[in-house]
């Protein structure tokens, strides 16, 4: 489990820097009427965005190791701490002060993650049926469809909805990475969890990029964090047998809550609000 924890921490660092680069790039690209997959192609014109993609890919590999060697609630809580990295870097990017509230939030995140790491119980191999893993593919498809529907609504609440759906997509990625039977080429090509992971991952990335164009980092990141962390954590306990050491149940639940509260508090620091918002494409 120690390897999984270290990989999750490294992935959080990569995701934190990548999220900042992604937000900067998305704000520079014009918006469209709905969720447009061509946005990802247009964003590739920005060198900063290419750097974000490289960091996300590297972070994904580290995240995958964490998912397969640590309980989901621990891996996802650590990954969510990437917002602390983003908050600190964003503050330095625009020259904004990092105040007392933000400092307390960072301490809360670190303290909560430390308790979770101590309380988490190592898990064994997860056994699931092909039918159960196919449900993840169905969930990924649902995220795609709902994303297209919500993407046609141009309000800040709809942008938050896109972020929630993006978080659900990343939740599917986490669950698929955990339950795929093994990482052999034959299994990856034939198992529905692989396709669920790819479809959900690409869709989540697109939905979050679109949401960043339409609303502040504050609202979008908060919604994303809650769903991408809480959904896999609950499913991991209910379905995949994740647990904590005896006597640590209450402490683990409290630590999880403290860590996520700190993450949400950090996401309230919308330092990138000073960047110019994206303009709509001409009709």
């Amino acid at each position: 489990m120690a390897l999984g924890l270290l990989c999750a921490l490294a992935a959080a660092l990569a995701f934190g820097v990548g999220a900042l680069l992604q937000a900067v790039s998305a704000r520079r690209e014009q918006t469209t009427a709905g969720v447009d997959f061509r946005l990802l192609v247009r964003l590739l014109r920005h060198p900063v965005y290419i750097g974000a993609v490289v960091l996300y890919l590297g972070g994904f590999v580290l995240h995958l190791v964490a998912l397969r060697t640590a309980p989901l609630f621990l891996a996802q809580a650590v990954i969510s701490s990437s917002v602390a990295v983003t908050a600190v870097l964003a503050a330095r990017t625009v020259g904004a002060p990092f105040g007392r509230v933000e400092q307390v939030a960072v301490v809360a995140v670190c303290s909560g993650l430390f308790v979770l790491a101590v309380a988490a119980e190592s898990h064994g191999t997860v056994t699931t049926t092909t039918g159960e893993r196919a449900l993840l593919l169905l969930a990924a498809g649902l995220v795609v469809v709902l994303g297209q529907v919500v993407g046609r609504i141009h309000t800040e609440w709809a942008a938050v909805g896109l972020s929630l759906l993006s978080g659900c997509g990343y939740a599917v990625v986490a669950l698929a990475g955990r339950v795929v039977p093994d990482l052999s080429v034959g299994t990856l090509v034939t198992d529905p969890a692989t396709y669920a992971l790819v479809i959900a991952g690409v869709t989540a990335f697109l939905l979050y990029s679109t949401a960043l164009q339409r609303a502040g980092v504050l609202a979008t990141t908060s919604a994303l964090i809650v769903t991408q962390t809480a959904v896999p954590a609950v499913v991991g306990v209910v379905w995949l047998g994740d647990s904590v050491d005896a006597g640590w149940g209450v402490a683990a639940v409290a630590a999880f809550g403290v860590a996520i509260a700190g993450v949400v508090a950090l996401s309230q620091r919308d330092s990138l609000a000073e960047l110019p918002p994206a303009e709509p494409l001409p009709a």
Side-chain angles (χ1 to χ4, degrees):
M1 190 174 68
L3 174 63
L5 179 58
L6 290 174
C7 286
L9 288 169
L13 178 61
F15 289 152
V17 179
L20 175 63
L21 300 182
Q22 181 184 7
V24 171
S25 302
R27 291 293 184 90
R28 293 174 177 172
E29 193 59 48
Q30 292 179 303
T31 61
T32 57
V35 176
D36 186 0
F37 281 90
R38 291 173 296 182
L39 171 63
L40 298 181
V41 177
R42 295 197 302 273
L43 284 170
L44 288 174
R45 297 180 300 183
H46 304 285
V48 170
Y49 180 77
I50 295 176
V53 171
V54 171
L55 285 168
Y56 276 129
L57 290 175
F60 169 74
V61 174
L62 294 166
H63 189 194
L64 184 60
V65 175
L67 290 171
R68 299 184 70 83
T69 55
L72 274 170
F73 64 81
L74 176 59
Q76 292 305 102
V78 173
I79 292 299
S80 72
S81 70
S82 63
V83 73
V85 178
T86 304
V88 172
L89 292 179
R92 294 188 65 85
T93 297
V94 300
F98 202 68
R100 179 65 59 85
V101 172
E102 289 78 19
Q103 294 173 18
V104 172
V106 170
V107 172
V109 171
C110 294
S111 301
L113 294 180
F114 175 77
V115 174
L116 280 177
V118 173
E121 183 177 68
S122 299
H123 65 81
T125 303
V126 176
T127 302
T128 55
T129 65
T130 302
E132 288 173 329
R133 296 193 296 277
L135 291 176
L136 293 176
L137 185 57
L138 180 62
L142 186 60
V143 171
V144 173
V145 172
L146 291 177
Q148 290 294 327
V149 174
V150 177
R152 296 185 180 278
I153 306 172
H154 282 258
T155 65
E156 185 168 352
W157 282 109
V160 172
L162 288 176
S163 295
L164 287 170
L165 288 171
S166 177
C168 290
Y170 283 128
V172 172
V173 169
L175 292 168
R178 171 71 177 277
V179 302
V180 66
D182 60 71
L183 301 181
S184 65
V185 175
T187 299
L188 292 177
V189 170
T190 59
D191 198 89
T194 303
Y195 298 97
L197 187 152
V198 173
I199 293 171
V202 173
T203 302
F205 194 72
L206 172 62
L207 295 180
Y208 185 50
S209 295
T210 304
L212 286 170
Q213 292 185 306
R214 302 180 181 182
V217 178
L218 179 159
T220 53
T221 303
S222 297
L224 172 71
I225 287 166
V226 170
T227 49
Q228 79 164 10
T229 305
V231 172
V234 172
V235 174
V237 172
V238 173
W239 181 32
L240 302 177
D242 287 346
S243 61
V244 297
D245 288 330
W248 282 87
V250 174
V253 171
F256 185 86
V258 168
I260 299 308
V263 166
V264 172
L266 283 171
S267 70
Q268 302 299 303
R269 182 184 180 82
D270 200 3
S271 298
L272 294 183
E274 298 182 25
L275 295 175
E279 297 293 334
L281 284 171

